[in-house]
């Protein structure tokens, strides 16, 4: 029976990295349902709207990171081809190790600045936004301040995970994220249980920062210490010549992504009120978790895509990618169907909890939209493994279409307008991106 299970898992492409990611997503589904219960019982509908909008505003950190974490991961995956792990450190070609060390030094300097800028801009900006949209009806100020402080600290250590993923430690990072998620949820529930309300988000942020920081220090102290001391000025990665030409394109795509994915709740809150924003936030979280389960088949393979590109093994890249892509799509489709059925049952059996979501029809449209997005994300991951960003123009057009749709459809049709409008926009963008994918894939592989 055990052998049969192992063969089945190998057949559907579940390796160690995906296993930990799926454990994390399984935990997310279970913990998400429990968190929904805590939110429904511990927060008013207006507080629920603020709770989810907090997360959307915090996501403004993308304007400060400018896609650097992704660039770090892809760059590391190209340098590590001539290196290998021995005794907890990387050994091999000294030139590549020096270049990797220079990347580590760059992360330390840049993310120190990013963390500070985040605090001095987002913290007061959020205070102004919530003052004018929520006012004094909810006690949100101190929770917002502490949330920003600890998220600023977390930003500083966040590129370390990207560096390790690029160096092949994808399964380790997935395992760490699983345990971090478990501890963060326990902290969140504890605060909810004792009536802490919005401070539940602060608890998550505090625990995440401490757990991740200690994990890096205890498990990879030797690696980071050795890498830091391996710097050689004769062999460095030039940010201007090597990273920036790729990063600025990723940055524009990620900034566009904020308008595509994070602008819903703030605008719904402004036009429809905090209660409706809360339902939108809960529904989007559900749809995002469904997508994240399937995208494990692609995200955990991203460093390997970079390895294939570095070797110019195009046949190996295509075989590896399309197998993972097929598995990803099947998993997402099955999960979507199960999720729609479960939501309908939840609304029937437990209307208090089910009522905190949008209607089943609206959630179904959000899930369909998320399925289309996963196709787009997969194609983008393949293309970005080449250290190029040919979807830049599409990302900008996507963001413009979403913003126009939000400000046009929400005043007219509320959240129904959002769900229908984003699905239409996504179909247009998907056709556009598939054309770019085919063109660039043929062009790059023929040229090389």
């Amino acid at each position: 029976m055990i052998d049969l299970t192992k063969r089945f898992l190998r057949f559907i492409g579940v390796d160690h990295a995906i296993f930990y990611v799926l454990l994390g997503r399984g935990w997310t589904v279970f913990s998400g349902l429990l968190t929904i219960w805590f939110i429904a019982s511990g927060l008013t509908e207006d507080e629920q709207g603020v709770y989810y909008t907090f997360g959307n505003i915090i996501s403004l950190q993308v304007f400060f990171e400018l896609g650097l974490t992704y660039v770090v991961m892809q760059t590391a995956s190209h340098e590590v081809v001539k290196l290998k792990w021995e005794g907890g450190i990387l050994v091999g070609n000294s030139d590549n190790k020096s270049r990797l060390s220079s990347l580590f030094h760059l992360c330390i300097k840049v993310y120190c600045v990013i963390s500070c800028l985040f605090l001095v801009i987002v913290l007061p900006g959020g205070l102004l936004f919530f003052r004018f949209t929520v006012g004094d009806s909810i006690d949100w100020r101190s929770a917002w301040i502490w949330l920003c402080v600890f998220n600023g600290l977390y930003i500083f250590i966040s590129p370390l995970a990207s560096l390790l993923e690029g160096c092949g430690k994808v399964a380790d990072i997935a395992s760490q994220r699983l345990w971090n998620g478990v501890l963060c949820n326990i902290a969140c529930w504890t605060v909810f249980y004792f009536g802490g309300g919005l401070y539940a988000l602060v608890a998550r942020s505090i625990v995440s920062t401490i757990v991740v920081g200690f994990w890096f220090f205890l498990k990879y102290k030797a690696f980071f210490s050795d890498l830091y001391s391996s710097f050689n000025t004769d062999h460095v990665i030039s940010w201007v010549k090597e990273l920036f030409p790729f990063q600025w394109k990723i940055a524009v795509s990620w900034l566009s992504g904020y308008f595509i994915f994070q602008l819903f709740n703030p605008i719904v809150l402004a036009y429809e009120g905090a209660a409706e924003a809360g339902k939108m936030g809960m529904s989007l979280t559900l749809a995002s978790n469904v997508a994240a389960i399937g995208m494990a088949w692609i995200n955990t393979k991203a460093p390997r895509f970079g390895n294939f590109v570095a070797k110019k093994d195009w046949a190996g890249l295509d075989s590896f990618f399309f197998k993972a892509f097929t598995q990803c799509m099947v998993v997402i489709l099955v999960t979507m169907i199960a999720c729609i059925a479960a939501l309908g049952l939840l609304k029937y059996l437990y209307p208090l909890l089910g009522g905190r979501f949008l209607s089943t029809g609206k959630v179904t449209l959000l899930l369909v939209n998320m399925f289309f997005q996963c196709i787009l994300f997969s194609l983008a991951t393949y293309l970005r493994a080449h250290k190029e960003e040919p979807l830049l123009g599409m990302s900008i057009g996507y963001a413009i279409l979403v913003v126009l749709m939000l400000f046009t459809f929400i005043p007219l049709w509320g959240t129904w307008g959002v769900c229908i409008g984003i699905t239409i926009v996504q179909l247009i963008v998907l056709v556009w991106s598939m054309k770019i994918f085919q063109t660039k894939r043929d062009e790059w592989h023929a040229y090389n």
Side-chain angles (χ1 to χ4, degrees):
M1 183 64 181
I2 295 176
D3 290 339
L4 183 61
T5 302
K6 288 182 178 179
R7 284 199 296 269
F8 174 72
L9 291 176
R10 283 196 297 270
F11 174 73
I12 62 174
V14 177
D15 55 22
H16 282 89
I18 292 177
F19 176 74
Y20 282 120
V21 171
L22 292 180
L23 274 181
R25 290 305 165 188
W27 168 257
T28 298
V29 171
F30 167 75
S31 62
L33 292 174
L34 191 53
T35 301
I36 288 170
W37 182 84
F38 274 113
I39 291 173
S41 59
L43 298 177
T44 65
E45 289 191 352
D46 286 347
E47 286 174 332
Q48 178 179 316
V50 173
Y51 178 93
Y52 284 109
T53 308
F54 267 10
N56 297 123
I57 304 299
I58 286 293
S59 295
L60 284 168
Q61 70 186 59
V62 71
F63 284 83
F64 302 92
E65 292 184 75
L66 297 175
L68 187 56
T69 50
Y70 189 86
V71 174
V72 166
M73 185 270 289
Q74 283 294 347
T75 303
S77 73
H78 282 248
E79 296 301 327
V80 82
V81 169
K82 296 182 180 180
L83 302 171
K84 62 179 180 179
W85 287 91
E86 281 188 10
I89 64 173
L90 285 172
V91 297
N93 188 289
S94 59
D95 295 350
N96 289 92
K97 188 169 181 178
S98 176
R99 284 170 57 80
L100 199 60
S101 176
S102 71
L103 183 65
F104 180 38
H105 281 255
L106 178 66
C107 287
I108 294 173
K109 296 174 184 177
V110 171
Y111 275 86
C112 181
V113 175
I114 289 173
S115 298
C116 294
L117 287 175
F118 174 84
L119 285 173
V120 299
I121 295 175
V122 174
L123 195 159
L127 290 173
L128 288 173
F129 175 79
F130 288 109
R131 177 187 175 187
F132 287 108
T133 57
V134 178
D136 298 323
S137 59
I138 297 172
D139 182 17
W140 54 267
R141 286 180 177 80
S142 56
W144 171 252
I145 291 171
W146 285 113
L147 182 63
C148 286
V149 168
F150 281 96
N151 267 276
L153 293 174
Y154 183 82
I155 288 172
F156 177 68
I157 60 177
S158 62
L160 302 184
S162 297
L163 187 65
L164 283 169
E165 284 183 307
C167 292
K169 293 296 182 179
V170 178
D172 261 13
I173 296 299
S175 174
Q176 175 265 313
R177 285 171 178 158
L178 168 62
W179 289 109
N180 183 46
V182 171
L183 294 173
C184 285
N185 276 301
I186 291 174
C188 177
W189 299 334
T190 302
V191 173
F192 271 129
Y193 179 79
F194 287 103
L198 294 175
Y199 285 93
L201 275 176
V202 180
R204 292 178 66 96
S205 184
I206 292 173
V207 170
S208 182
T209 303
I210 293 174
V211 168
V212 173
F214 271 101
W215 186 82
F216 283 137
F217 178 78
L218 294 175
K219 188 162 187 177
Y220 286 103
K221 179 182 177 181
F223 164 71
F224 287 118
S225 178
D226 175 71
L227 191 63
Y228 187 86
S229 61
S230 300
F231 183 76
N232 182 342
T233 54
D234 293 331
H235 301 284
V236 299
I237 289 177
S238 169
W239 179 75
V240 174
K241 295 180 180 179
E242 298 181 66
L243 300 187
F244 183 71
F246 181 38
Q247 185 193 348
W248 78 264
K249 298 174 183 178
I250 295 291
V252 174
S253 293
W254 281 31
L255 295 181
S256 300
Y258 182 86
F259 293 101
I260 294 168
F261 305 114
Q262 300 293 337
L263 203 59
F264 293 89
N265 266 33
I267 295 180
V268 171
L269 186 145
Y271 279 97
E272 298 289 308
E276 198 68 10
K279 294 179 181 179
M280 175 61 75
M282 190 93 74
S283 303
L284 285 171
T285 299
L286 177 67
S288 298
N289 284 331
V290 170
I293 291 173
M295 284 303 295
W297 270 258
I298 297 295
N299 293 335
T300 56
K301 302 295 193 301
R304 289 287 304 279
F305 298 156
N307 296 156
F308 281 114
V309 172
K311 299 173 184 176
K312 298 186 187 301
D313 182 1
W314 310 128
L317 172 64
D318 284 352
S319 175
F320 192 66
F321 170 76
F322 285 110
K323 180 180 179 181
F325 176 73
T326 301
Q327 293 164 341
C328 171
M329 293 299 105
V330 171
V331 169
I332 292 175
L333 189 59
V334 171
T335 309
M336 280 175 53
I337 295 170
C339 189
I340 294 169
L343 181 61
L345 192 62
L346 180 69
K347 285 180 172 290
Y348 177 75
L349 295 177
Y350 302 100
L352 175 64
L353 295 179
R356 290 301 181 97
F357 291 90
L358 296 173
S359 68
T360 305
K362 295 176 184 178
V363 174
T364 299
L365 281 175
L366 290 178
L367 288 168
V368 170
N369 172 62
M370 199 60 69
F371 180 77
F372 293 150
Q373 284 181 1
C374 287
I375 298 175
L376 173 58
F377 290 161
S378 299
L379 301 183
T381 302
Y382 178 100
L383 294 174
R384 287 168 179 167
H386 297 73
K387 297 175 74 173
E388 297 285 348
E389 180 54 300
L391 298 178
L392 176 63
M394 182 276 297
S395 298
I396 297 173
Y398 191 0
I400 292 172
L401 288 173
V402 168
V403 172
L404 290 174
M405 178 274 297
L406 287 174
F407 283 104
T408 302
F409 286 21
I410 288 181
L412 294 175
W413 301 297
T415 50
W416 264 118
V418 174
C419 297
I420 295 172
I422 191 61
T423 304
I424 295 172
V425 170
Q426 184 63 60
L427 275 172
I428 296 171
V429 171
L430 183 59
V431 173
W432 187 358
S433 62
M434 290 176 73
K435 177 63 176 177
I436 294 173
F437 172 82
Q438 188 61 52
T439 301
K440 289 298 180 181
R441 176 169 163 265
D442 293 344
E443 175 187 325
W444 292 340
H445 295 184
Y447 176 81
N448 289 285

